Amino acid sequence: MFQRIRWKLLATYLIVVFPTLIFLGVHLTRQFETAYADQLKADLLELARVIAANAADGLSSGNPETVRRHMQDARGAAEGPAVFVTDARGIVIAARGMSAPAVGGEADDPSIRAALEGRELAAVGRVPGREEAVYAAVPVRFHGRVLGAVHVERPLTYLHAQIQHLRWVVAWATIVALLMASGLALLLARSIAGPVQEMQVVASHLAAGRLGERVPARTRDELGDLARSLNYMASELERIDSLRRQFVADASHELRTPVANLAVAVEALKAVVGKDDGKAEAVAADLEREVERLRRLVEDLLDLSLVESGEVRLNLTQTAPADLVLRAVQPFRPRTDEAGVTLTVDLPSRLPSVKADADRTIQVLTNLLDNALKHTPRGGQVVVSAAERRGHVLLSVADTGPGIPEAELPHIFDRFYKVDKARSSARGGAGLGLAIAKRLVEAQGGIIMVENQEGRGARFVIALPRVG
């Protein structure tokens, strides 16, 4: 049972609370006992003073009967404390109560001797010849002379009864407090352990592949934040799983076409080998083209895998942006001439250097140029330019093709995504180039953006951090 976090929290809370409440109960009981005893002594001392004031007239007139009559008529005499009054010789002249000495006898109590000496006394102890008691004694004065003494006492059994009552009150209060603390501790443990257990169940479901599970985030504290983080992780896992499934489906689709073409070409080659050399050469050319397409697809998949796993090795050096542009543009000159497309390079006279991997940046520019030429009609124009802005150097590739539909822009950098799927397949594209370009630029600390005017062309911009 104590392997559960709920019971561990409850046990920890009670281990702290129980000793504290028990200590407080014992301490309060002792405090109440001391305070009650002190209060009882003060009350007895005050009562003795009142009786002494009333007995002064009788003792001063030599009429002890007045003292006895006054004591018997006093309010609460039957159930009150034991009281006796002595004259100056210590002879008892009036008494009441079971424990009081007989009238006419000599009181040999230390309290009486102290009172006859003019001192007031209140204490707890044993009186000679009687049981333990709480008592008080005061002198009876008349015009400065001590005429006698008054002794008032209550047996300790009375004090013990009252103290026992106090102990029971404190004990029950402590028990109630412990029960309330246990209930609150259980509620607190459940409020903490409940969400944790829910998250544990959801986490086990996620590990089992049930990625649609979510944890209810009911609070705004750390547990609520943890639940929201777990839900976010589940959403990301679900998204990644969806991308993985889509990736497998897209990769299978992209591989199916060239493989099927290869199979057809092989069959055709078998049919014409040794019969028609011209057809054999054409089929061999088709085979070579499909093999090249497969090679590019495999290389793109490997590049994408390396970039996304963070294993791609970058050689970041200080590089001149103009050199990057010129090296990327040069191989496309014959192709643009053949396609009837004008390729323009617009570079300012002075540009700051950038920190980049030259080969990877040229790879990105090559991909953008290839896409621009594929979508620019004869007579159109492709412009490659550079500029400095806000601590970055911007390299852009713009074309005058049909542009990108607005609905397609959010997905333009997704893997295997093609704006015109039929035309892209015909041109041999697998939809991986822009996905690789985006990840390569971001790996170098830059960003890649697309600006688009549907029907008037698209412009891709690479922003790389400048040096200095």
Side-chain angles (χ1 to χ4, degrees):
M1 180 177 72
F2 284 98
Q3 293 181 349
R4 294 282 186 179
I5 188 173
R6 175 182 302 178
W7 301 115
K8 289 181 179 179
L9 290 171
L10 177 61
T12 302
Y13 184 82
L14 294 181
I15 287 172
V16 174
V17 171
F18 269 38
T20 303
L21 288 178
I22 292 173
F23 170 77
L24 288 176
V26 173
H27 179 71
L28 287 175
T29 300
R30 291 179 177 175
Q31 288 293 103
F32 285 154
E33 290 176 4
T34 302
Y36 188 79
D38 291 342
Q39 184 62 45
L40 183 58
K41 287 189 289 185
D43 291 343
L44 293 179
L45 190 60
E46 185 64 27
L47 178 61
R49 288 170 181 162
V50 173
I51 294 174
N54 294 328
D57 292 337
L59 286 174
S60 63
S61 61
N63 187 7
E65 188 63 30
T66 302
V67 179
R68 286 193 288 271
R69 186 171 58 253
H70 178 77
M71 286 180 57
Q72 296 301 327
D73 294 340
R75 184 177 179 182
E79 67 276 4
V83 182
F84 63 90
V85 181
T86 71
D87 58 15
R89 297 170 301 165
I91 304 301
V92 178
I93 61 172
R96 78 179 188 200
M98 295 292 296
S99 60
V103 175
E106 183 179 0
D108 193 25
D109 297 357
S111 61
I112 293 296
R113 289 196 296 272
L116 291 176
E117 292 173 1
R119 293 182 287 126
E120 292 184 346
L121 181 67
V124 178
R126 178 179 294 278
V127 179
R130 299 191 299 278
E131 61 181 341
E132 283 189 317
V134 181
Y135 61 87
V138 298
V140 179
R141 298 179 187 275
F142 186 78
H143 295 306
R145 292 185 302 117
V146 177
L147 302 180
V150 176
H151 179 97
V152 183
E153 69 178 50
R154 273 192 184 277
L156 278 182
T157 53
Y158 174 82
L159 177 61
H160 289 161
Q162 297 302 313
I163 289 176
Q164 187 65 27
H165 174 71
L166 284 174
R167 287 174 177 170
W168 277 112
V169 170
V170 173
W172 278 111
T174 303
I175 292 172
V176 171
L178 288 173
L179 292 175
M180 292 178 63
S182 300
L184 291 174
L186 183 59
L187 290 176
L188 179 62
R190 290 182 62 184
S191 68
I192 296 175
V196 172
Q197 290 173 344
E198 287 180 339
M199 286 185 272
Q200 185 270 331
V201 171
V202 170
S204 63
H205 289 169
L206 292 176
R210 296 162 59 180
L211 301 180
E213 295 283 337
R214 295 294 184 272
V215 181
R218 302 185 181 91
T219 60
R220 287 288 179 184
D221 55 9
E222 290 83 355
L223 288 174
D225 293 340
L226 182 59
R228 282 182 283 274
S229 297
L230 184 62
N231 289 338
Y232 176 75
M233 183 187 71
S235 299
E236 288 297 299
L237 286 175
E238 195 170 18
R239 183 182 68 83
I240 292 171
D241 185 66
S242 176
L243 290 175
R244 179 186 61 82
R245 294 174 185 272
Q246 186 63 38
F247 178 82
V248 172
D250 290 340
S252 300
H253 175 75
E254 291 297 330
L255 288 170
R256 185 187 302 121
T257 301
V259 169
N261 292 341
L262 283 174
V264 172
V266 169
E267 292 297 324
L269 185 60
K270 287 179 181 179
V272 298
V273 168
K275 298 179 182 179
D276 189 333
D277 293 339
K279 287 185 178 180
E281 289 181 2
V283 172
D286 289 341
L287 280 172
E288 186 178 8
R289 184 170 56 253
E290 293 302 327
V291 169
E292 178 62 20
R293 181 178 175 186
L294 277 175
R295 185 189 65 78
R296 288 199 306 268
L297 178 59
V298 171
E299 287 182 355
D300 286 347
L301 287 173
L302 289 174
D303 280 346
L304 184 62
S305 175
L306 288 173
V307 174
E308 290 191 336
S309 65
E311 295 179 3
V312 64
R313 294 182 179 179
L314 297 175
N315 182 24
L316 299 177
T317 58
Q318 185 172 330
T319 307
D323 291 342
L324 298 175
V325 171
L326 294 176
R327 287 172 60 187
V329 167
Q330 189 60 37
F332 286 91
R333 293 293 184 184
R335 182 175 164 186
T336 55
D337 293 341
E338 182 181 349
V341 174
T342 303
L343 179 57
T344 304
V345 176
D346 182 14
L347 297 174
S349 58
R350 297 182 63 182
L351 273 177
S353 299
V354 294
K355 189 174 183 180
D357 185 310
D359 292 336
R360 292 297 186 177
T361 305
I362 291 172
Q363 178 182 347
V364 173
L365 289 171
T366 298
N367 179 267
L368 297 180
L369 281 165
D370 183 66
N371 287 341
L373 288 174
K374 285 178 181 178
H375 294 91
T376 301
R378 181 173 291 275
Q381 184 180 22
V382 174
V383 179
V384 183
S385 61
E388 180 188 1
R389 186 178 301 169
R390 296 179 182 177
H392 287 77
V393 173
L394 308 183
L395 307 179
S396 64
V397 177
D399 62 59
T400 56
I404 303 170
E406 291 294 329
E408 309 285 348
L409 285 175
H411 308 287
I412 198 68
F413 294 106
D414 292 349
R415 292 173 296 187
F416 292 107
Y417 193 80
K418 303 173 185 177
V419 175
D420 187 340
K421 295 176 176 56
R423 293 171 64 190
S424 295
S425 296
R427 290 168 177 157
L432 292 174
L434 289 177
I436 296 172
K438 180 176 186 295
R439 288 156 179 79
L440 284 176
V441 171
E442 290 176 349
Q444 298 177 72
I447 56 174
I448 185 170
M449 304 164 285
V450 58
E451 300 172 357
N452 178 64
Q453 289 183 329
E454 192 169 347
R456 299 177 57 185
R459 178 171 177 258
F460 286 84
V461 180
I462 303 169
L464 297 173
R466 59 167 290 176
V467 175

